[in-house]
Amino acid sequence: MFEIENFDLKLNTDFIGRNFIYVEEIDSTNTFLLDRRNGVNESGTVVLAEKQTKGRGRKDRVWYSSKEQNLTFSILLCKDYKLFNHLNLINFSASLAVANSIENLYQLRTELKWPNDVLINKKKTCGILLESSSQGNKIDRVVVGIGVNVNQSMFQGQFNFPPTSIRIELGREVEREKLLAEILNNFEFYLNKISSESNYITREWKEKCRMIGEKIYVKEGDVIKNGIFDDIDEEGFLLLRTKDGIEKITIGDVSIV
Ligand code: BTN
């Protein structure tokens, strides 16, 4: 059982998570917050679900997560038009927030995988799905969906990338309330940096991405591109060095050759 009072005591934000919705079961926290007919319009709203019946991952994949073991939640950002010009940096802020929270609370070394996975010991402990909706031709709603494998002790089935959890890596269960509060505190910190000092985010992100300089391939649908992970640009796109020069990659799954 998630203890909201305990979480609340540790939350130290101005707006992220101040409107907090806790549900036992839902199709997907992202689907819920994206749908404006649900009447939730307060920027910073967080929806946490103990179980998702249709948890979604990137590229129409399914996100599997055991009931009451992990953190599956989404954060709503509304009408922050300046911020919405930097969707990749919002993505990076979320992965940095999760990675730093895990390092600070449990002293586990984390690594970031482009665009936004958080790894421990080369295995995935967190995935992020950022989605937006527009009115007219303007994005006015962004939902940052975060799934962190926290206390799950076993993973069964087929995964695109080998999964792990904090519990598996640490050897003990951890308190989800404290971890969620820490993630939201850090996320707000990084979001504020996007407008004040955006290269702070890319700098920190690069420090935690250990694939830069490596030979990689990027897979998007049936297309596979090979090259060296040269860098990321100031907006968070991957720069792939191929025999024809530098190519900017906006989407895809990255693997080391
Ligand atoms: C990925 O790595 O493919 C992204 C996974 C994102 C999963 C989270 S769990 C909370 C939120 N609701 C969803 O349906 N998906 C995201």
Side-chain angles (χ1 to χ4, degrees):
M1 182 72 190
F2 187 88
E3 287 175 27
I4 296 177
E5 295 77 25
N6 191 359
F7 154 75
D8 223 20
L9 280 173
K10 292 170 177 117
L11 187 69
N12 188 19
T13 56
D14 285 334
F15 77 107
I16 299 288
R18 289 294 158 197
N19 186 28
F20 186 74
I21 303 172
Y22 171 83
V23 289
E24 280 291 337
E25 189 173 305
I26 202 167
D27 51 356
S28 148
T29 54
N30 263 39
T31 307
F32 175 81
L33 279 182
L34 270 177
D35 187 350
R36 59 189 82 228
R37 287 171 308 185
N38 286 320
V40 181
N41 295 308
E42 191 176 325
S43 203
T45 296
V46 170
V47 178
L48 172 75
E50 292 291 15
K51 181 178 165 112
Q52 295 186 114
T53 52
K54 283 194 185 142
R56 295 186 290 110
R58 286 174 61 238
K59 303 185 165 184
D60 294 328
R61 293 181 186 125
V62 178
W63 183 257
Y64 297 103
S65 177
S66 294
K67 186 178 176 181
E68 293 175 357
Q69 301 288 299
N70 300 317
L71 288 172
T72 48
F73 63 101
S74 300
I75 307 166
L76 176 67
L77 302 170
C78 289
K79 297 194 170 152
D80 194 335
Y81 300 113
K82 266 195 182 154
L83 189 69
F84 296 168
N85 287 326
H86 307 287
L87 294 184
N88 281 346
L89 299 186
I90 300 177
N91 244 330
F92 280 11
S93 298
S95 47
L96 277 168
V98 173
N100 283 330
S101 300
I102 293 175
E103 295 208 346
N104 294 342
L105 293 177
Y106 317 116
Q107 288 74 52
L108 288 169
R109 189 165 188 252
T110 59
E111 180 180 337
L112 299 178
K113 179 172 173 290
W114 191 88
N116 51 15
D117 292 342
V118 181
L119 313 182
I120 307 175
N121 288 327
K122 307 279 176 212
K123 283 177 262 162
K124 179 161 165 173
T125 191
C126 166
I128 294 166
L129 175 66
L130 187 144
E131 296 180 293
S132 61
S133 86
S134 306
Q135 255 183 349
N137 56 2
K138 239 181 173 177
I139 292 178
D140 70 337
R141 215 171 164 89
V142 167
V143 173
V144 186
I146 304 181
V148 189
N149 298 329
V150 184
N151 286 324
Q152 191 165 331
S153 53
M154 270 172 40
F155 293 88
Q156 279 170 338
Q158 285 278 38
F159 290 88
N160 165 53
F161 197 83
T164 191
S165 69
I166 296 171
R167 177 184 173 166
I168 292 172
E169 300 303 325
L170 194 64
R172 65 170 168 87
E173 278 202 20
V174 304
E175 198 190 295
R176 290 184 302 152
E177 293 80 356
K178 192 171 171 180
L179 176 59
L180 180 60
E182 182 80 4
I183 291 171
L184 300 181
N185 294 342
N186 282 324
F187 182 61
E188 187 172 283
F189 168 83
Y190 285 114
L191 268 193
N192 289 335
K193 286 278 180 202
I194 295 180
S195 40
S196 64
E197 200 189 337
S198 67
N199 55 11
Y200 181 91
I201 311 268
T202 44
R203 213 171 43 231
E204 284 236 336
W205 194 92
K206 282 200 269 191
E207 270 173 30
K208 282 201 156 355
C209 172
R210 311 201 205 285
M211 283 187 172
I212 295 178
E214 299 282 342
K215 261 189 172 174
I216 57 166
Y217 62 91
V218 186
K219 191 168 182 301
E220 171 54 12
D222 292 337
V223 180
I224 296 183
K225 292 176 178 164
N226 281 284
I228 308 274
F229 191 152
D230 191 72
D231 205 349
I232 51 166
D233 72 7
E234 70 283 358
E235 274 308 321
F237 293 111
L238 189 157
L239 300 175
L240 185 71
R241 184 151 28 100
T242 69
K243 56 180 175 20
D244 304 319
I246 298 285
E247 184 174 343
K248 180 159 128 177
I249 305 289
T250 56
I251 188 168
D253 286 323
V254 174
S255 306
I256 300 249
V257 173

